[in-house]
Amino acid sequence: MKKITLLLIMLLGVTHFIKPHRCEDDAKDDSAEDLGEEEDDDDDDDDEDADDTEVKEENGVLVLTDANFDTFIEGKDTVLVEFYAPWCGHCKQFAPEYEKIAQTLKENDPPIPVAKVDATKASGLGSRFEVSGYPTIKILKKGEPLDYDGDRSEHAIVERVKEVAQPDWKPPPEATLVLTKDNFDDVVNNADIILVEFYAPWCGHCKRLAPEYEKAAKELSNRTPPIPLAKVDATAESDLATRFGVSGYPTLKIFRKGKAFDYNGPREKFGIVDYMSDQAGPPSKQVQTLKQVQELLRDGDDAVIVGVFSSDEDAAYEIYQEACNSLREDYKFMHTFNNDVTKFLKASPGQVVMLQPEKFRSKYESASHSLTIKDSTPASEVQDFFKKHILPLVGHRKQSNDAKRYTKRPLVVVYYGVDFSFDYRVATQFWRSKVLEVAKDFPEYTFAIADEEDYADELKSLGLSESGEEVNVGIVGEGGKKYAMEPEEFDSDVLRSFVMAFKKGKLKPIVKSQPLPKNNKGPVKVVVGKTFDEIVMDSKKDVLIEFYAPWCGHCKKLEPDYISLGKKYKNEKNLVIAKMDATANDVPHDSYKVEGFPTIYFAPSNNKQNPIKFEGGKRDVEEFSKFVEKHATKLSHKKDEL
């Protein structure tokens, strides 16, 4: 037994010495295998790199990417491509139909490739082909994209692709007219109405507008009578751009017999079509019955404007229409040849009558105003008449009419629960009557009532949102400065005292502002609401000011270049490169309008009320330097040194 035990111990010892050698061998072998796997992985990576241009297929549809797109498209006559997003519901619904299309076109003679691009991954292609929605379908003819905007059915798409694939197929000529200095006046002066786009070839907004503009041009060319759409390359036709005050791209203008009007409509196909169709009609609508006028006076919210004429051949009628044309965006014009309407208005042919709705009338103002149009009356005089009498003594300021009616400053606003419906009209008019008593004595100011809920943000900016008072008052002064009346029980005397204090310059404006920065010695000076006048409006210095938002991606991208610009001009004592968070600070001057981020203005030392907006150029040090050099008034070095 002892011998057996001894033998077992000896075997275990041998095993102990043998095992480490096996582990080392295994490790060497494993190491070699691991190394081999890494080499295989590298080989696979090389294969993947080599196969980046390989085109895979999913359910009969070819899969294209940024890497393989151009290689695949090259040399092919016709290719159908869908740009999609994996999360897009419409794309998912369309997928089975698209796979049927792929199969049908594969069986065509010759076969026509059908492909798809995940535009969320192939961002380069999405940008290149201006994909802004999903799915976007394009037919590529010899590499040139053709938008498909028909029915998303197998039959419709297959038929359109086969049509484009014909050897003799050529793209239809552009419906958009191309204007240059050689043909501009001839075309525009002879058109009853024409829409003209001034664009720059490099402008991203222009590129996005282009397909919508062309679609609208096609649609409007089929209208009776047609409405032409045209375009001008403003970089090549700089004289035309200067002539019509083009300072940004794209700029759209409506021309009527050569006279230019701003285009303020949508920028997509259907919006352009509807807007221009409306613009092509007369600016004034004919009133057929007295009831139409009576309803507007009873229920309307704006002044009723009616031109009275014996016929549409009256010279006065032509002058009236001309005057209405340039204001048609902001006013509702009417005209009549009806005797009953004429008698009701107590007018005679050749007169224009303006009346306020019944709810805005008061004993302090006339119920109506009239102007007689003579053959010699200029359209501008008629327009001045409209503008003078459009507002009642105390009107109702709303979000819908604010930008059109209440831009004149100073503006005195009385905030409370404004509601002209039957149940609340008496209470609304009670407070309004107290405002009227004061407004009559300050004709140089505009007075309005406004619903406190509609203007909750404005009340908050005035510090009045939690005043506890039923009625609050604020004044919007020149340059956007705001003044708040101390909360107290409202009556005419209190309002009068507040307005009088404003008139005498005894009130201090309220400015939303971040705290003053503790250290403001960097290359870019930080401006807050409280320091805007001190820094930006300093008449001794030129100032370049950027208005930004902390969350704005474009602003973040701009920051390194903007700091570099500040460093470049750090030794210029009379030039300040500055920035301001426009979400946390008031911009206390209306001249510095901020409608997007970043917004950049140059405020010259000698003209602070008319800053120059940076538009159109690339946002880098070079372009900013050119902009600064062009407008600077106090640089210490010569321009050609830059």
Side-chain angles (χ1 to χ4, degrees), residues 263-306:
Y263 173 89
N264 297 308
R267 298 197 176 190
E268 43 79 29
K269 174 191 171 183
F270 296 109
I272 295 171
V273 169
D274 290 345
Y275 186 87
M276 289 305 297
S277 297
D278 183 61
Q279 290 287 315
S284 172
K285 308 301 180 186
Q286 184 176 349
V287 176
Q288 303 279 8
T289 66
L290 175 58
K291 185 179 179 181
Q292 289 175 269
V293 176
Q294 290 173 326
E295 287 178 349
L296 286 170
L297 292 174
R298 186 182 66 244
D299 305 321
D301 288 322
D302 206 3
V304 177
I305 306 172
V306 186

Side-chain angles (χ1 to χ4, degrees), residues 178-223:
V178 177
L179 301 183
T180 66
K181 62 182 179 182
D182 297 325
N183 65 352
F184 186 92
D185 288 332
D186 185 51
V187 172
V188 167
N189 292 344
N190 289 302
D192 289 329
I193 184 169
I194 183 172
L195 178 62
V196 179
E197 175 204 5
F198 294 86
Y199 72 97
W202 45 259
C203 164
H205 293 298
C206 303
K207 291 176 182 177
R208 283 191 288 275
L209 172 63
E212 296 296 315
Y213 196 72
E214 174 63 15
K215 290 173 192 174
K218 288 178 182 176
E219 182 86 13
L220 290 168
S221 67
N222 295 322
R223 184 182 178 276

Side-chain angles (χ1 to χ4, degrees), residues 13 59 66 115 151 155 159 164 184 233 290 298 336 360 367 414 518 523 526 541 550 569 597 631 642:
N59 299 324
D66 281 331
D151 291 338
H155 175 75
E159 288 302 307
V164 174
F184 186 92
D233 180 348
L290 175 58
R298 186 182 66 244
T336 190
F360 291 139
V414 180
K518 293 180 180 179
V526 176
K541 295 181 180 180
Y569 291 105
F597 301 108
H631 300 291
L642 284 180

